[in-house]
Amino acid sequence: RVHGGCILGGDLGSFTMSNKELPPRLKQIHSRVVCDVDGPRNTTTDVYSGTYASVGFDNSFNFEKFKEGLRIDIISMSEEEVVFDMVGIDAPIANAFRRILISEVETMAIENINLYQNTSIIQDEVLVHRIGLIPISADPEKFQYRKEGEEYSENNSILFKLDVTCTRKKLPAGTDASDDLTADDKFNNSSVYSRDLKWVPIGNQAEMFPEGIRPVHDDILLAKLRPGQSIEFEAYAEKGIGKTHAKWSPVATATYRLLPDILINSPFEGTEADRLVKACPMNVYDIEDLGGSRKAFVARPRDCTMCRECIRDPQWAKKITLQRVKDHFIFSVESVGSMSAKLLFVKAVQILKDKCLHWLEVLESMEE
C-alpha cells in the first residue's frame, strides 16, 4: 500500500526497482525546495529506500554514488574567511559541520583571572568577561587540558599580565586643558587595549614559542581610564571548546544556505523585464538584448535570498519558480583569528571522522 510516495505495508519485492529517472514532478520533490509566496514546500529529505518504489525508482543509499557525487568547490578563501560549496550531502551532515565548527574545535582562551586592582568605572565581572572573550593566537595542539585543581604549567596554560595606570600629561605651555583636546591628548593610558596584555612564559614556553604568544588583535578596547584609575591582573588561558563557553568558539560565524535555483517559465520582455529587474533588491535579474528583443534572465542566482519580491504579483508567481537545491550547500566560515578559516574546516572534518570511527567501534563491540 502506497501513501504519499511512501510504502506503508506490503512487500517491496512486488515492485520492480531500477535506476531509471523519476518523473519531473517527483524529481522536483526529491531534489528541490520550492519557495512559494506563503512559504517553502518539499523541505524534507527522502531517506527511505522505498519512497518511490511505486514508480520503480530505487532510493536506497549507495556509497559509491555518494563518493562520486560529493565535491567541495572553493569560492573564496583568505586567512579570516572561506566560502565554499559542499555538494552531494544532506542537511544533517551540513549541520553537523556547522555545529562542530562552532562548539567542538579546540582553542585557547582566558579562563582564570586574579584581579588585583580595578578602579575604573567598569564592574569587575564585566571587565573579566570582556578579557575572557579576547581571542588568543596560540596553537591548542601544543597544550593539554588542565584538570580541576591541577597546578598551572607550561603544558596546560598561558600566563598574561596587565598593569596600567592613567596619569595626566604635561601639556605644552600656553595650552589650556579646557581646549578641544581628546583624552589621548590629555592623559597617558586613557584607554586599555588588548595589546596591553603582556605574555609571561611559564617554564620553557619561551623556547617552545620563540615567536611569542599574544592576542589576535591588538586594538580590542577593554576599558577607559581617567587620572588615578588603574587596572592590574594576572590572566591564565586554558584549552577548551565552544560547547563549554562561547569564548572558546573559533568562529565568528559559521553558516550555510542552499543554492538558489530560479526558473523563468514564461519570458519577461520589454517594460515588464525592466520592472522585474527593478523589483529585485539583490539585483539577481538582468536584461539581455537578443536581436532587438529585450528579455530578462537570471544573471546572479547565488545572490538570491528568497525574499520573494519577484513573485508577490500573482501573475509573476506563475511565470517564476523559486527553488533551492537540497544537496548543494553554500558554506561561509569566518574565523575570529586564532587559526585560519581553512584550517578550521579541516579540523571539523577530522572531528566528524573521529566521531564516526568511535561509533563504528561501539557497534562492532555490540555485535561481538
Side-chain angles (χ1 to χ4, degrees), residues 162 191-198 215 217-220 222:
L162 182 145
S191 298
V192 182
Y193 291 97
S194 53
R195 58 174 168 264
D196 295 316
L197 285 168
K198 306 303 180 184
H217 304 287
D218 292 334
D219 57 351
I220 300 175
L222 302 180

Side-chain angles (χ1 to χ4, degrees), residues 348-367:
V349 172
Q350 185 60 51
I351 291 171
L352 183 60
K353 178 182 176 181
D354 292 342
K355 287 175 176 286
C356 293
L357 291 174
H358 167 74
W359 287 109
L360 277 175
E361 292 177 0
V362 171
L363 292 173
E364 289 173 356
S365 64
M366 292 175 64
E367 291 177 357

Side-chain angles (χ1 to χ4, degrees), residues 140-186:
E141 292 188 357
K142 295 183 179 181
F143 293 88
Q144 303 170 359
Y145 281 98
R146 177 176 169 270
K147 298 178 182 178
E148 186 175 355
E150 185 179 0
E151 293 292 328
Y152 297 110
S153 71
E154 66 270 20
N155 298 319
N156 62 23
S157 57
I158 302 169
L159 173 61
F160 292 97
K161 289 187 177 182
L162 182 145
D163 188 0
V164 176
T165 299
C166 180
T167 58
R168 294 185 183 274
K169 287 183 177 179
K170 186 176 181 180
L171 299 178
T175 303
D176 192 333
S178 62
D179 290 346
D180 189 17
L181 300 176
T182 65
D184 290 337
D185 295 331
K186 296 186 289 184

Side-chain angles (χ1 to χ4, degrees), residues 292-313:
S293 176
R294 299 173 67 255
K295 292 184 178 181
F297 72 102
V298 182
R300 291 162 286 274
R302 293 177 68 95
D303 294 343
C304 180
T305 60
M306 296 294 160
C307 68
R308 303 176 176 84
E309 286 298 322
C310 60
I311 59 173
R312 301 293 181 192
D313 187 322

